[in-house]
Amino acid sequence: MPKKKKSTADQPAKTSLQSSPHLLRGFKDILPKEQKYWNHLERVVEKIAFQYGYKRIETPILEETSLFVRSVGKETDIVSKEMFSFVDKGGENVCLRPEITASVVRAYIEHGMHTYPQPVRVYYSGPVFRREKPQSGRLRGFHQFGFEVLGNDRPVVDAQLILIARNICLEAGLRLQDFVIQVNSIGDLASREEYLHELSSYFKSKKKYLSPEERKRITKNPMRLLDSVMRDRKDIFDDAPQILDWLNDESKNHFMEVLEILDALEISYVLNPYLVRGLDYYTRTVFEIYPAGKEEFSQSAIGAGGRYDGLIELLGGDPTPAGGFAFGYERFIALLKDREVKIRERKPPQVYLAQIGKQAKIQALKLFEKLRKEGFAVYENFSKDSLKSQLEQADKLEVRYTIIIGQKEVLDGTVLVRDMESGVQEIVNYEKVTDEIRRKLAVK
Ligand code: HAM
Protein backbone atom coordinates (compact mmCIF):
# COMPACT_ATOMS: atom_id res chain seq x y z
CA MET A 1 0.00 0.00 0.00
CA PRO A 2 1.31 3.48 -0.80
CA LYS A 3 2.44 5.34 2.29
CA LYS A 4 0.49 8.43 3.28
CA LYS A 5 2.40 11.62 2.65
CA LYS A 6 3.35 13.45 5.82
CA SER A 7 2.91 17.18 5.95
CA THR A 8 6.01 19.25 5.43
CA ALA A 9 6.58 22.96 6.01
CA ASP A 10 5.75 23.89 2.41
CA GLN A 11 3.23 21.09 1.82
CA PRO A 12 0.55 20.96 4.50
CA ALA A 13 -1.43 17.76 5.06
CA LYS A 14 -4.96 17.86 3.66
CA THR A 15 -7.40 19.21 6.20
CA SER A 16 -10.99 18.06 6.26
CA LEU A 17 -11.88 21.37 4.61
CA GLN A 18 -9.76 20.46 1.60
CA SER A 19 -10.61 16.79 1.30
CA SER A 20 -13.18 15.75 -1.29
CA PRO A 21 -16.73 15.20 -0.18
CA HIS A 22 -17.70 11.55 -0.04
CA LEU A 23 -20.75 9.36 0.05
CA LEU A 24 -22.39 8.98 3.47
CA ARG A 25 -22.08 5.60 5.13
CA GLY A 26 -24.98 3.32 4.26
CA PHE A 27 -25.90 5.25 1.12
CA LYS A 28 -25.29 4.23 -2.48
CA ASP A 29 -24.93 5.95 -5.83
CA ILE A 30 -26.77 4.15 -8.57
CA LEU A 31 -24.40 4.42 -11.50
CA PRO A 32 -25.37 4.30 -15.19
CA LYS A 33 -24.27 0.66 -15.54
CA GLU A 34 -26.76 -0.33 -12.81
CA GLN A 35 -29.70 1.44 -14.38
CA LYS A 36 -30.82 -1.47 -16.52
CA TYR A 37 -31.83 -3.38 -13.38
CA TRP A 38 -33.73 -0.42 -11.96
CA ASN A 39 -35.50 0.29 -15.24
CA HIS A 40 -36.39 -3.36 -15.55
CA LEU A 41 -37.88 -3.57 -12.06
CA GLU A 42 -39.74 -0.29 -12.46
CA ARG A 43 -41.25 -1.55 -15.71
CA VAL A 44 -42.33 -4.78 -14.01
CA VAL A 45 -43.94 -2.85 -11.16
CA GLU A 46 -45.82 -0.56 -13.54
CA LYS A 47 -47.01 -3.45 -15.68
CA ILE A 48 -48.28 -5.50 -12.73
CA ALA A 49 -49.87 -2.41 -11.11
CA PHE A 50 -51.74 -1.70 -14.33
CA GLN A 51 -52.88 -5.30 -14.71
CA TYR A 52 -54.27 -5.44 -11.15
CA GLY A 53 -55.80 -1.95 -11.21
CA TYR A 54 -53.41 -0.12 -8.84
CA LYS A 55 -52.94 3.63 -9.39
CA ARG A 56 -49.69 5.42 -8.64
CA ILE A 57 -49.38 7.63 -5.56
CA GLU A 58 -46.46 9.89 -4.59
CA THR A 59 -46.07 11.18 -1.07
CA PRO A 60 -43.30 13.47 0.25
CA ILE A 61 -40.02 12.12 1.51
CA LEU A 62 -40.21 14.44 4.52
CA GLU A 63 -43.08 13.92 6.96
CA GLU A 64 -43.99 14.82 10.54
CA THR A 65 -42.03 12.55 12.85
CA SER A 66 -45.19 11.78 14.83
CA LEU A 67 -46.71 10.03 11.79
CA PHE A 68 -44.22 7.17 12.13
CA VAL A 69 -44.06 7.23 15.92
CA ARG A 70 -47.80 6.62 16.02
CA SER A 71 -48.00 4.10 13.19
CA VAL A 72 -44.77 2.10 13.06
CA GLY A 73 -44.61 2.25 16.88
CA LYS A 74 -42.47 3.92 19.54
CA GLU A 75 -40.82 0.71 20.70
CA THR A 76 -39.83 -0.58 17.26
CA ASP A 77 -36.19 -0.46 16.10
CA ILE A 78 -37.20 1.77 13.22
CA VAL A 79 -38.65 4.49 15.44
CA SER A 80 -36.54 4.12 18.57
CA LYS A 81 -33.14 3.97 16.83
CA GLU A 82 -33.27 4.48 13.10
CA MET A 83 -35.13 7.64 12.19
CA PHE A 84 -33.42 10.52 10.47
CA SER A 85 -35.50 13.01 12.44
CA PHE A 86 -34.72 16.59 13.32
CA VAL A 87 -36.33 19.85 14.36
CA ASP A 88 -36.46 22.14 11.36
CA LYS A 89 -35.96 25.90 11.46
CA GLY A 90 -39.68 26.44 12.04
CA GLY A 91 -39.52 24.28 15.17
CA GLU A 92 -41.40 21.36 13.58
CA ASN A 93 -40.26 17.84 14.32
CA VAL A 94 -39.83 16.20 10.92
CA CYS A 95 -38.16 13.08 9.56
CA LEU A 96 -37.12 11.38 6.36
CA ARG A 97 -39.69 8.64 5.81
CA PRO A 98 -38.52 5.24 7.06
CA GLU A 99 -41.31 3.52 5.10
CA ILE A 100 -44.24 4.58 2.93
CA THR A 101 -47.35 2.78 4.19
CA ALA A 102 -47.97 5.34 6.95
CA SER A 103 -47.69 8.17 4.41
CA VAL A 104 -50.22 6.44 2.15
CA VAL A 105 -52.61 6.13 5.08
CA ARG A 106 -52.10 9.81 5.97
CA ALA A 107 -52.90 10.74 2.35
CA TYR A 108 -55.97 8.45 2.33
CA ILE A 109 -57.33 10.25 5.38
CA GLU A 110 -56.32 13.78 4.36
CA HIS A 111 -57.79 13.51 0.86
CA GLY A 112 -61.02 11.87 1.99
CA MET A 113 -60.32 8.76 -0.08
CA HIS A 114 -62.88 6.85 1.99
CA THR A 115 -65.42 8.55 -0.33
CA TYR A 116 -63.83 6.91 -3.40
CA PRO A 117 -65.12 3.53 -4.56
CA GLN A 118 -63.60 1.02 -2.13
CA PRO A 119 -61.17 -0.58 -1.97
CA VAL A 120 -58.67 2.06 -3.00
CA ARG A 121 -55.67 0.42 -4.66
CA VAL A 122 -52.43 2.38 -4.90
CA TYR A 123 -48.77 1.67 -5.57
CA TYR A 124 -45.63 3.71 -5.03
CA SER A 125 -41.91 3.68 -5.63
CA GLY A 126 -39.25 5.85 -4.04
CA PRO A 127 -36.46 6.39 -1.52
CA VAL A 128 -36.70 5.55 2.20
CA PHE A 129 -34.28 6.16 5.04
CA ARG A 130 -33.40 4.18 8.14
CA ARG A 131 -30.37 4.90 10.24
CA GLU A 132 -29.45 1.22 10.51
CA LYS A 133 -26.01 -0.13 11.23
CA PRO A 134 -24.74 -0.42 7.65
CA GLN A 135 -24.01 -4.01 6.64
CA SER A 136 -24.73 -6.33 3.77
CA GLY A 137 -28.42 -5.92 2.88
CA ARG A 138 -28.89 -3.06 5.35
CA LEU A 139 -28.59 0.40 3.92
CA ARG A 140 -29.45 3.74 5.44
CA GLY A 141 -30.78 5.10 2.19
CA PHE A 142 -32.60 2.54 0.08
CA HIS A 143 -35.62 2.35 -2.23
CA GLN A 144 -38.95 0.60 -1.96
CA PHE A 145 -41.90 -0.06 -4.19
CA GLY A 146 -45.14 -1.11 -2.61
CA PHE A 147 -48.80 -1.90 -3.18
CA GLU A 148 -51.55 -0.93 -0.72
CA VAL A 149 -55.26 -1.77 -0.78
CA LEU A 150 -57.45 0.22 1.58
CA GLY A 151 -61.10 -0.34 2.42
CA ASN A 152 -61.71 -4.09 2.34
CA ASP A 153 -61.25 -6.76 4.99
CA ARG A 154 -61.94 -9.96 3.04
CA PRO A 155 -59.36 -12.78 3.03
CA VAL A 156 -59.33 -12.73 -0.75
CA VAL A 157 -57.58 -9.33 -0.55
CA ASP A 158 -54.76 -10.81 1.56
CA ALA A 159 -54.39 -13.77 -0.79
CA GLN A 160 -54.38 -11.53 -3.85
CA LEU A 161 -51.68 -9.32 -2.33
CA ILE A 162 -49.50 -12.39 -1.84
CA LEU A 163 -50.29 -13.47 -5.40
CA ILE A 164 -49.29 -10.05 -6.76
CA ALA A 165 -46.04 -10.06 -4.76
CA ARG A 166 -45.26 -13.50 -6.16
CA ASN A 167 -46.09 -12.44 -9.70
CA ILE A 168 -43.77 -9.44 -9.43
CA CYS A 169 -40.94 -11.83 -8.58
CA LEU A 170 -41.81 -14.08 -11.54
CA GLU A 171 -42.32 -11.22 -13.98
CA ALA A 172 -38.93 -9.82 -12.95
CA GLY A 173 -37.36 -13.09 -14.06
CA LEU A 174 -36.99 -15.06 -10.82
CA ARG A 175 -38.05 -18.70 -10.88
CA LEU A 176 -40.35 -20.26 -8.29
CA GLN A 177 -37.37 -22.03 -6.74
CA ASP A 178 -35.51 -18.73 -6.23
CA PHE A 179 -37.72 -17.35 -3.45
CA VAL A 180 -39.81 -18.44 -0.50
CA ILE A 181 -42.99 -16.82 0.77
CA GLN A 182 -43.48 -17.13 4.52
CA VAL A 183 -46.92 -16.43 5.97
CA ASN A 184 -48.46 -16.17 9.41
CA SER A 185 -51.34 -14.51 11.21
CA ILE A 186 -50.73 -12.34 14.24
CA GLY A 187 -54.48 -12.03 14.87
CA ASP A 188 -56.54 -9.00 15.66
CA LEU A 189 -55.87 -6.81 18.69
CA ALA A 190 -58.32 -8.77 20.82
CA SER A 191 -56.63 -12.13 20.23
CA ARG A 192 -53.19 -10.64 20.71
CA GLU A 193 -53.77 -9.25 24.20
CA GLU A 194 -53.79 -12.62 25.94
CA TYR A 195 -51.01 -13.94 23.79
CA LEU A 196 -48.72 -11.03 24.65
CA HIS A 197 -49.28 -11.75 28.32
CA GLU A 198 -48.34 -15.39 27.77
CA LEU A 199 -45.29 -14.45 25.73
CA SER A 200 -44.03 -12.03 28.39
CA SER A 201 -44.28 -14.77 31.03
CA TYR A 202 -42.40 -17.13 28.75
CA PHE A 203 -39.54 -14.69 28.20
CA LYS A 204 -39.39 -13.89 31.90
CA SER A 205 -38.70 -17.58 32.47
CA LYS A 206 -35.84 -17.38 29.95
CA LYS A 207 -34.45 -14.10 31.21
CA LYS A 208 -30.97 -15.48 31.78
CA TYR A 209 -30.53 -16.04 28.05
CA LEU A 210 -31.44 -12.48 27.16
CA SER A 211 -29.22 -9.42 26.98
CA PRO A 212 -30.11 -6.33 29.10
CA GLU A 213 -31.40 -4.64 25.93
CA GLU A 214 -33.58 -7.66 25.11
CA ARG A 215 -34.88 -7.87 28.66
CA LYS A 216 -36.30 -4.38 28.36
CA ARG A 217 -38.52 -5.69 25.59
CA ILE A 218 -40.08 -8.46 27.71
CA THR A 219 -42.86 -6.18 28.82
CA LYS A 220 -42.59 -3.38 26.27
CA ASN A 221 -42.72 -5.36 23.04
CA PRO A 222 -42.34 -9.13 23.46
CA MET A 223 -43.37 -9.86 19.88
CA ARG A 224 -40.37 -7.98 18.53
CA LEU A 225 -38.22 -10.01 20.88
CA LEU A 226 -39.70 -13.16 19.45
CA ASP A 227 -38.75 -12.05 15.97
CA SER A 228 -35.12 -11.34 16.82
CA VAL A 229 -34.27 -14.22 19.16
CA MET A 230 -36.16 -16.94 17.28
CA ARG A 231 -33.99 -16.45 14.23
CA ASP A 232 -30.64 -16.62 16.00
CA ARG A 233 -31.26 -18.87 18.98
CA LYS A 234 -33.92 -21.34 17.96
CA ASP A 235 -32.48 -24.02 20.23
CA ILE A 236 -33.22 -21.96 23.36
CA PHE A 237 -36.51 -20.44 22.36
CA ASP A 238 -38.17 -23.06 20.19
CA ASP A 239 -40.85 -23.76 22.78
CA ALA A 240 -42.09 -20.16 22.78
CA PRO A 241 -45.89 -19.90 22.59
CA GLN A 242 -47.18 -19.51 19.05
CA ILE A 243 -49.70 -16.82 18.20
CA LEU A 244 -51.66 -19.24 16.00
CA ASP A 245 -52.76 -21.09 19.17
CA TRP A 246 -54.22 -17.86 20.57
CA LEU A 247 -56.18 -16.60 17.61
CA ASN A 248 -59.87 -16.01 18.28
CA ASP A 249 -62.37 -17.65 15.94
CA GLU A 250 -62.70 -14.63 13.71
CA SER A 251 -58.95 -14.26 13.16
CA LYS A 252 -58.53 -18.01 12.76
CA ASN A 253 -61.29 -18.28 10.15
CA HIS A 254 -59.93 -15.31 8.28
CA PHE A 255 -56.47 -16.84 8.12
CA MET A 256 -57.79 -20.27 7.16
CA GLU A 257 -59.62 -18.72 4.25
CA VAL A 258 -56.48 -16.90 3.11
CA LEU A 259 -54.56 -20.18 3.13
CA GLU A 260 -57.40 -22.01 1.33
CA ILE A 261 -57.30 -19.45 -1.47
CA LEU A 262 -53.51 -19.69 -1.72
CA ASP A 263 -53.80 -23.47 -1.91
CA ALA A 264 -56.52 -23.28 -4.56
CA LEU A 265 -54.32 -20.95 -6.64
CA GLU A 266 -51.36 -23.28 -6.09
CA ILE A 267 -49.24 -20.55 -4.56
CA SER A 268 -46.62 -22.26 -2.45
CA TYR A 269 -45.84 -20.76 0.93
CA VAL A 270 -44.24 -21.74 4.21
CA LEU A 271 -46.23 -21.25 7.39
CA ASN A 272 -43.87 -19.61 9.90
CA PRO A 273 -45.65 -19.37 13.27
CA TYR A 274 -42.99 -16.97 14.58
CA LEU A 275 -43.20 -14.47 11.77
CA VAL A 276 -44.35 -11.26 13.48
CA ARG A 277 -42.85 -8.32 11.49
CA GLY A 278 -40.92 -5.37 12.85
CA LEU A 279 -43.60 -2.69 12.63
CA ASP A 280 -46.44 -2.35 15.14
CA TYR A 281 -49.33 -1.61 12.81
CA TYR A 282 -49.90 -5.14 11.55
CA THR A 283 -52.97 -7.25 12.28
CA ARG A 284 -53.97 -10.72 11.07
CA THR A 285 -52.14 -11.90 7.89
CA VAL A 286 -48.42 -11.09 7.62
CA PHE A 287 -45.90 -12.33 5.06
CA GLU A 288 -42.29 -12.01 4.01
CA ILE A 289 -40.44 -13.05 0.87
CA TYR A 290 -36.90 -14.42 1.13
CA PRO A 291 -34.31 -15.57 -1.34
CA ALA A 292 -34.46 -19.39 -1.15
CA GLY A 293 -31.96 -20.64 1.43
CA LYS A 294 -31.69 -17.30 3.22
CA GLU A 295 -34.85 -17.48 5.32
CA GLU A 296 -32.84 -17.38 8.54
CA PHE A 297 -31.52 -13.90 7.92
CA SER A 298 -33.98 -11.08 8.42
CA GLN A 299 -31.75 -8.66 6.50
CA SER A 300 -32.15 -10.75 3.37
CA ALA A 301 -35.96 -10.42 2.99
CA ILE A 302 -36.66 -8.87 -0.37
CA GLY A 303 -40.25 -7.96 0.40
CA ALA A 304 -42.80 -8.02 3.17
CA GLY A 305 -46.29 -6.96 4.09
CA GLY A 306 -49.59 -7.77 5.67
CA ARG A 307 -52.83 -6.35 6.99
CA TYR A 308 -53.01 -3.20 9.06
CA ASP A 309 -56.72 -3.04 9.89
CA GLY A 310 -56.33 -0.61 12.81
CA LEU A 311 -53.93 1.91 11.28
CA ILE A 312 -56.36 4.25 9.53
CA GLU A 313 -58.41 4.65 12.70
CA LEU A 314 -55.24 5.05 14.77
CA LEU A 315 -54.21 7.98 12.57
CA GLY A 316 -57.58 9.68 12.89
CA GLY A 317 -59.63 8.18 10.02
CA ASP A 318 -62.79 6.06 10.16
CA PRO A 319 -62.20 2.41 11.03
CA THR A 320 -61.02 0.97 7.68
CA PRO A 321 -59.37 -2.37 7.06
CA ALA A 322 -56.33 -2.37 4.76
CA GLY A 323 -53.26 -4.31 3.72
CA GLY A 324 -50.25 -4.16 1.46
CA PHE A 325 -46.63 -5.01 0.91
CA ALA A 326 -43.33 -3.39 -0.05
CA PHE A 327 -40.16 -4.67 -1.69
CA GLY A 328 -36.68 -3.23 -1.36
CA TYR A 329 -35.18 -2.46 -4.77
CA GLU A 330 -31.55 -2.99 -3.69
CA ARG A 331 -32.18 -6.44 -2.20
CA PHE A 332 -34.41 -7.45 -5.10
CA ILE A 333 -31.75 -6.42 -7.61
CA ALA A 334 -29.04 -8.22 -5.62
CA LEU A 335 -31.14 -11.38 -5.93
CA LEU A 336 -31.67 -10.88 -9.68
CA LYS A 337 -27.90 -10.65 -10.07
CA ASP A 338 -27.23 -13.59 -7.78
CA ARG A 339 -29.61 -15.75 -9.85
CA GLU A 340 -28.09 -14.37 -13.05
CA VAL A 341 -31.42 -13.19 -14.39
CA LYS A 342 -30.91 -11.86 -17.91
CA ILE A 343 -32.30 -8.39 -18.34
CA ARG A 344 -33.60 -7.63 -21.79
CA GLU A 345 -32.90 -3.98 -22.43
CA ARG A 346 -35.29 -2.22 -24.74
CA LYS A 347 -32.78 -0.10 -26.63
CA PRO A 348 -33.75 2.28 -29.42
CA PRO A 349 -31.88 1.81 -32.71
CA GLN A 350 -28.38 3.20 -32.21
CA VAL A 351 -26.06 4.96 -34.56
CA TYR A 352 -22.84 7.01 -34.36
CA LEU A 353 -22.72 10.29 -36.25
CA ALA A 354 -19.25 11.42 -37.38
CA GLN A 355 -18.37 14.61 -39.23
CA ILE A 356 -15.33 16.23 -40.82
CA GLY A 357 -15.23 19.98 -41.52
CA LYS A 358 -17.28 23.02 -40.59
CA GLN A 359 -20.09 22.60 -43.14
CA ALA A 360 -20.34 18.91 -42.35
CA LYS A 361 -20.72 19.68 -38.65
CA ILE A 362 -23.77 21.85 -39.40
CA GLN A 363 -25.23 19.14 -41.63
CA ALA A 364 -24.52 16.55 -38.91
CA LEU A 365 -26.25 18.70 -36.25
CA LYS A 366 -29.32 18.84 -38.52
CA LEU A 367 -29.20 15.11 -39.15
CA PHE A 368 -28.89 14.49 -35.40
CA GLU A 369 -32.26 16.21 -34.88
CA LYS A 370 -33.85 14.22 -37.71
CA LEU A 371 -32.55 10.93 -36.28
CA ARG A 372 -33.60 11.85 -32.74
CA LYS A 373 -37.15 12.72 -33.84
CA GLU A 374 -37.39 9.38 -35.61
CA GLY A 375 -36.53 7.48 -32.44
CA PHE A 376 -32.80 6.81 -32.86
CA ALA A 377 -30.28 7.00 -30.03
CA VAL A 378 -27.47 9.00 -31.62
CA TYR A 379 -23.91 9.05 -30.33
CA GLU A 380 -21.59 11.81 -31.48
CA ASN A 381 -18.65 13.93 -30.54
CA PHE A 382 -19.16 17.22 -32.31
CA SER A 383 -16.20 18.71 -30.49
CA LYS A 384 -13.82 16.33 -32.30
CA ASP A 385 -12.56 17.00 -35.82
CA SER A 386 -10.51 13.89 -36.51
CA LEU A 387 -12.43 11.10 -38.22
CA LYS A 388 -10.05 8.50 -36.78
CA SER A 389 -10.82 9.41 -33.19
CA GLN A 390 -14.57 9.55 -33.89
CA LEU A 391 -14.46 6.06 -35.41
CA GLU A 392 -12.48 4.81 -32.43
CA GLN A 393 -15.15 6.15 -30.13
CA ALA A 394 -17.91 4.52 -32.23
CA ASP A 395 -15.99 1.25 -31.94
CA LYS A 396 -15.82 1.52 -28.16
CA LEU A 397 -19.54 2.21 -27.99
CA GLU A 398 -20.12 -0.96 -30.03
CA VAL A 399 -22.60 0.65 -32.42
CA ARG A 400 -23.11 -1.31 -35.62
CA TYR A 401 -23.33 1.66 -38.03
CA THR A 402 -21.62 5.02 -38.20
CA ILE A 403 -22.89 7.81 -40.42
CA ILE A 404 -20.03 9.91 -41.82
CA ILE A 405 -20.51 13.37 -43.30
CA GLY A 406 -17.66 15.28 -44.99
CA GLN A 407 -17.45 18.24 -47.33
CA LYS A 408 -18.17 16.09 -50.41
CA GLU A 409 -21.27 14.50 -48.84
CA VAL A 410 -22.65 17.96 -47.93
CA LEU A 411 -22.32 19.07 -51.56
CA ASP A 412 -23.77 15.79 -52.93
CA GLY A 413 -26.66 15.60 -50.48
CA THR A 414 -25.44 12.18 -49.34
CA VAL A 415 -23.85 10.51 -46.30
CA LEU A 416 -21.55 7.53 -45.87
CA VAL A 417 -22.88 4.63 -43.82
CA ARG A 418 -20.07 2.54 -42.40
CA ASP A 419 -20.63 -1.00 -41.15
CA MET A 420 -18.42 -1.04 -38.06
CA GLU A 421 -17.98 -4.81 -38.17
CA SER A 422 -16.89 -5.21 -41.81
CA GLY A 423 -15.56 -1.69 -42.40
CA VAL A 424 -17.58 -1.50 -45.64
CA GLN A 425 -18.86 2.00 -46.47
CA GLU A 426 -21.86 2.80 -48.62
CA ILE A 427 -23.11 6.09 -50.08
CA VAL A 428 -26.70 6.81 -49.06
CA ASN A 429 -28.97 9.69 -50.00
CA TYR A 430 -29.22 12.14 -47.04
CA GLU A 431 -33.04 12.04 -47.17
CA LYS A 432 -33.17 8.23 -47.09
CA VAL A 433 -30.61 7.59 -44.35
CA THR A 434 -33.02 6.84 -41.48
CA ASP A 435 -35.00 4.29 -43.54
CA GLU A 436 -31.80 2.72 -44.78
CA ILE A 437 -30.27 2.29 -41.31
CA ARG A 438 -33.53 0.97 -39.91
CA ARG A 439 -33.61 -1.60 -42.72
CA LYS A 440 -30.00 -2.61 -42.12
CA LEU A 441 -30.54 -2.96 -38.36
CA ALA A 442 -33.64 -5.10 -38.93
CA VAL A 443 -31.78 -7.61 -41.12
CA LYS A 444 -28.69 -7.62 -38.90
P1 HAM B 1 -40.23 -3.62 5.83
O1 HAM B 1 -40.17 -5.10 6.06
O2 HAM B 1 -39.71 -2.76 6.91
O3 HAM B 1 -41.76 -3.29 5.56
O4 HAM B 1 -39.51 -3.24 4.49
C1 HAM B 1 -39.88 -3.82 3.25
C2 HAM B 1 -38.65 -4.18 2.45
O5 HAM B 1 -37.77 -3.06 2.34
C3 HAM B 1 -37.80 -5.27 3.08
O6 HAM B 1 -38.30 -6.55 2.80
C4 HAM B 1 -36.45 -5.02 2.40
O7 HAM B 1 -36.41 -5.60 1.12
C5 HAM B 1 -36.42 -3.51 2.26
N1 HAM B 1 -35.59 -2.94 3.34
C6 HAM B 1 -35.97 -2.68 4.61
N2 HAM B 1 -34.96 -2.15 5.31
C7 HAM B 1 -33.91 -2.09 4.47
C8 HAM B 1 -32.55 -1.61 4.58
N3 HAM B 1 -32.10 -1.07 5.70
N4 HAM B 1 -31.73 -1.69 3.50
C9 HAM B 1 -32.19 -2.20 2.33
N5 HAM B 1 -33.46 -2.65 2.16
C10 HAM B 1 -34.31 -2.59 3.21
C11 HAM B 1 -42.22 -2.03 5.28
O8 HAM B 1 -41.54 -1.07 5.05
C12 HAM B 1 -43.73 -1.97 5.18
N6 HAM B 1 -44.14 -0.59 4.91
C13 HAM B 1 -44.24 -2.92 4.12
C14 HAM B 1 -45.73 -2.87 3.97
C15 HAM B 1 -46.41 -2.23 3.00
N7 HAM B 1 -46.61 -3.43 4.78
C16 HAM B 1 -47.85 -3.16 4.35
N8 HAM B 1 -47.74 -2.41 3.29
Side-chain angles (χ1 to χ4, degrees), residues 99 101 130 132 139 144 148 277 281-282 301-302 324-325 328:
E99 61 108 50
T101 308
R130 294 183 192 173
E132 301 224 41
L139 292 161
Q144 285 186 340
E148 311 287 351
R277 306 282 297 121
Y281 52 60
Y282 288 105
I302 58 167
F325 62 81

Side-chain angles (χ1 to χ4, degrees), residues 27 46 73 96 160 270 387 424:
F27 287 77
E46 262 171 41
L96 296 175
Q160 211 186 21
V270 173
L387 180 61
V424 173

Side-chain angles (χ1 to χ4, degrees), residues 140 145 161 187 190 194 196 244 282 320 358 363 367 390:
R140 289 181 167 178
F145 63 83
L161 281 168
E194 250 184 281
L196 288 178
L244 288 176
Y282 288 105
T320 311
K358 202 169 167 191
Q363 184 80 323
L367 183 56
Q390 291 179 74

Side-chain angles (χ1 to χ4, degrees), residues 78 98-101 124 130 132 137-140 142-144 146-148 277 279 281-282 288-289 301-306 308 323-332:
I78 296 177
E99 61 108 50
I100 307 180
T101 308
Y124 50 80
R130 294 183 192 173
E132 301 224 41
R138 287 221 164 102
L139 292 161
R140 289 181 167 178
F142 57 101
H143 298 75
Q144 285 186 340
F147 286 57
E148 311 287 351
R277 306 282 297 121
L279 302 87
Y281 52 60
Y282 288 105
E288 288 193 347
I289 300 172
I302 58 167
Y308 45 90
F325 62 81
F327 279 86
Y329 273 97
E330 287 81 357
R331 290 191 198 170
F332 202 130

Side-chain angles (χ1 to χ4, degrees), residues 87-270:
V87 178
D88 86 342
K89 286 184 183 137
E92 226 174 339
N93 204 325
V94 294
C95 75
L96 296 175
R97 62 184 182 195
E99 61 108 50
I100 307 180
T101 308
S103 301
V104 169
V105 169
R106 177 197 50 66
Y108 179 90
I109 299 167
E110 263 188 299
H111 298 281
M113 289 193 215
H114 64 282
T115 61
Y116 295 11
Q118 304 291 300
V120 170
R121 296 186 172 98
V122 288
Y123 78 102
Y124 50 80
S125 172
V128 262
F129 305 87
R130 294 183 192 173
R131 214 177 175 289
E132 301 224 41
K133 198 163 165 238
Q135 52 182 289
S136 161
R138 287 221 164 102
L139 292 161
R140 289 181 167 178
F142 57 101
H143 298 75
Q144 285 186 340
F145 63 83
F147 286 57
E148 311 287 351
V149 42
L150 307 101
N152 192 302
D153 78 339
R154 305 314 309 145
V156 67
V157 169
D158 312 32
Q160 211 186 21
L161 281 168
I162 295 171
L163 171 71
I164 296 172
R166 184 195 76 147
N167 286 348
I168 289 173
C169 295
L170 296 178
E171 186 75 30
L174 295 172
R175 297 156 308 165
L176 282 173
Q177 64 266 35
D178 290 327
F179 61 94
V180 173
I181 305 173
Q182 292 196 345
V183 295
N184 192 24
S185 172
I186 57 170
D188 55 16
L189 291 176
S191 34
R192 215 173 313 153
E193 219 164 277
E194 250 184 281
Y195 172 68
L196 288 178
H197 188 72
E198 185 68 20
L199 198 59
S200 289
S201 315
Y202 171 81
F203 282 125
K204 270 183 202 150
S205 74
K206 302 272 182 185
K207 222 172 172 171
K208 62 177 179 203
Y209 301 109
L210 297 170
S211 68
E213 188 66 19
E214 288 170 337
R215 282 181 202 168
K216 280 191 210 151
R217 288 211 154 137
I218 294 180
T219 44
K220 279 186 176 165
N221 198 341
M223 279 214 328
R224 291 292 314 123
L225 194 53
L226 184 67
D227 186 39
S228 54
V229 301
M230 275 310 292
R231 284 184 197 279
D232 309 337
R233 288 169 277 168
K234 259 204 183 82
D235 47 333
I236 302 169
F237 297 100
D238 69 351
D239 54 348
Q242 300 184 356
I243 178 86
L244 288 176
D245 296 329
W246 299 82
L247 296 186
N248 57 23
D249 285 347
E250 221 190 318
S251 292
K252 203 180 292 171
N253 292 339
H254 183 97
F255 190 47
M256 287 306 140
E257 213 177 315
V258 174
L259 298 185
E260 274 165 28
I261 300 171
L262 293 179
D263 290 338
L265 295 176
E266 296 180 4
I267 298 172
S268 39
Y269 57 83
V270 173

